[in-house]
Amino acid sequence: MTRRPQTFRLALSLLFFSTFLLAQDAPPPSHAPSSGPMLLAVYEAWFGFYKHIAVGYNEHDPAVLNRQILKAQEMGLSGFVVDWMGDRNPFVDETYTLLQKAAAENHFHIALQYDQANSDGNTDTVIRELTRFHEIMLPANTSGWQTYLTYQGRPVIFIFPYGNNTDWVRVRAAVDQWSTPPLLLRENRPNSSTPLQAFDGFYPWPNPGSAGWSPDGTNWGETYLRDFYKTMSSKFPDKITVGGAWPQFDDTKAKWGKNRHMSGRCGQTYADTLNLWKQYYQHPIPFVLIATWNDYEEGTAIEAGMPPCKL
């Protein structure tokens, strides 16, 4: 994996710092700072596993995880949201365990993005997997538990749904039995079939919206993202709104890719998505979630800096 010049990394760090607070020596706050949203990034935890492309490191190496966290802190991030699939993917499950420990050692946050990929969506399976996570990773005697991301005193779990087979009202009832019930934040804005009582908030994801993907990548998701913020601010002010940002999208390296593209526009896509929430909210929202820290298969990684500018 190529390295960016130090001057480029410094410039990128200053870009982040202009909107977000840098991590401090003390543990970062588990609530949104008054000066702006907490900046998070989705972390793909499968690199080093043979079914994914080689990116130059193995995420079961603690030294790799420590370097990534330190680099993320330099860039103004306060935490990783780990794309996690329960025991459906043992490699990712082990990476999460190692990353939670590394996060605690470096005063960095970690949270779960519960991903239903490769799942039948069975409600009992969802409850079992989330219960397992709660019982294994969140008890007070677990290494790194204290670094788990909370908001208003409750652990935050991002939901990446797949299909329509899950009864989320039943899931909500099950997790409400935890000693501290989590906040469940679901991908995309609510629609007519969304059980609102099951979710505490919503977050956007790279999406071209109703216009669809453009072959040249010029549709970077502006209409989709505006619709998300407009809907959330006007119709669901009682729900948590998470902002979304992405640098570009290009899934040509993914085995599941469909030749979909969003142009980076020489860094403008990232800048626009990072700041668009400000046009709909007078006060800071709690979080902005970057998609992603290191998804090299779908071309959204910011770990190595912004994508090259293609004239």
Side-chain angles (χ1 to χ4, degrees):
M1 188 170 58
T2 58
R3 296 290 180 185
R4 302 285 176 180
Q6 183 65 28
T7 54
F8 181 89
R9 292 179 58 194
L10 177 59
L12 182 62
S13 298
L14 291 174
L15 172 63
F16 281 121
F17 185 72
S18 65
T19 308
F20 302 99
L21 294 177
L22 290 171
Q24 304 297 314
D25 292 336
S30 59
H31 57 278
S34 59
S35 59
M38 182 181 289
L39 187 61
L40 309 169
V42 172
Y43 184 95
E44 300 299 355
W46 51 48
F47 291 115
F49 185 50
Y50 73 95
K51 289 188 176 181
H52 291 271
I53 64 173
V55 296
Y57 56 72
N58 186 315
E59 291 170 325
H60 284 182
D61 182 349
V64 167
L65 304 182
N66 278 291
R67 285 198 300 270
Q68 289 178 314
I69 289 173
L70 291 175
K71 190 173 187 178
Q73 288 176 322
E74 290 175 1
M75 295 166 65
L77 274 70
S78 294
F80 286 148
V81 177
V82 183
D83 187 357
W84 181 85
M85 305 165 194
D87 50 14
R88 284 173 282 129
N89 192 317
F91 187 96
V92 170
D93 195 37
E94 176 63 18
T95 302
Y96 179 90
T97 300
L98 296 169
L99 191 58
Q100 180 167 294
K101 181 179 179 181
E105 292 172 351
N106 290 283
H107 309 299
F108 195 65
H109 282 305
I110 189 170
L112 198 71
Q113 182 185 54
Y114 177 66
D115 190 342
Q116 287 190 281
N118 302 317
S119 169
D120 58 9
N122 181 277
T123 303
D124 290 332
T125 299
V126 175
I127 293 173
R128 177 185 63 80
E129 290 180 334
L130 290 177
T131 300
R132 173 180 172 272
F133 175 79
H134 174 245
E135 294 177 347
I136 294 177
M137 300 310 302
L138 292 184
N141 61 350
T142 301
S143 178
W145 69 272
Q146 70 275 21
T147 200
Y148 194 88
L149 180 71
T150 63
Y151 181 64
Q152 297 179 344
R154 298 169 63 183
V156 177
I157 295 178
F158 295 80
I159 303 295
F160 198 84
Y162 184 83
N164 300 306
N165 296 327
T166 305
D167 183 346
W168 287 104
V169 175
R170 276 188 57 205
V171 175
R172 172 86 267 173
V175 299
D176 277 346
Q177 301 306 308
W178 296 6
S179 55
T180 304
L183 296 170
L184 300 183
L185 310 181
R186 181 178 174 129
E187 180 209 13
N188 287 329
R189 64 172 177 79
N191 57 41
S192 58
S193 63
T194 304
L196 291 175
Q197 68 271 37
F199 299 102
D200 302 284
F202 299 84
Y203 66 96
W205 195 252
N207 190 314
S210 59
W213 301 89
S214 58
D216 59 0
T218 53
N219 182 1
W220 52 269
E222 179 181 10
T223 300
Y224 161 81
L225 199 52
R226 286 189 180 280
D227 179 63
F228 175 85
Y229 291 133
K230 181 179 179 180
T231 300
M232 291 301 300
S233 61
S234 63
K235 297 183 179 180
F236 305 101
D238 58 327
K239 298 294 184 180
I240 298 170
T241 296
V242 177
W246 46 86
Q248 65 169 14
F249 189 96
D250 180 354
D251 66 358
T252 53
K253 292 184 179 180
K255 293 179 180 179
W256 56 89
K258 299 179 181 179
N259 198 31
R260 297 170 295 180
H261 301 271
M262 287 182 180
S263 172
R265 299 183 300 139
C266 298
Q268 195 61 45
T269 295
Y270 181 78
D272 287 344
T273 55
L274 185 68
N275 292 294
L276 193 59
W277 65 269
K278 297 176 183 178
Q279 298 183 26
Y280 296 86
Y281 292 87
Q282 294 182 347
H283 303 286
I285 55 179
F287 311 106
V288 168
L289 182 64
I290 299 172
T292 63
W293 172 253
N294 62 337
D295 192 342
Y296 295 96
E297 289 166 315
E298 292 190 347
T300 57
I302 65 164
E303 179 181 13
M306 292 297 100
C309 184
K310 298 179 181 180
L311 299 178

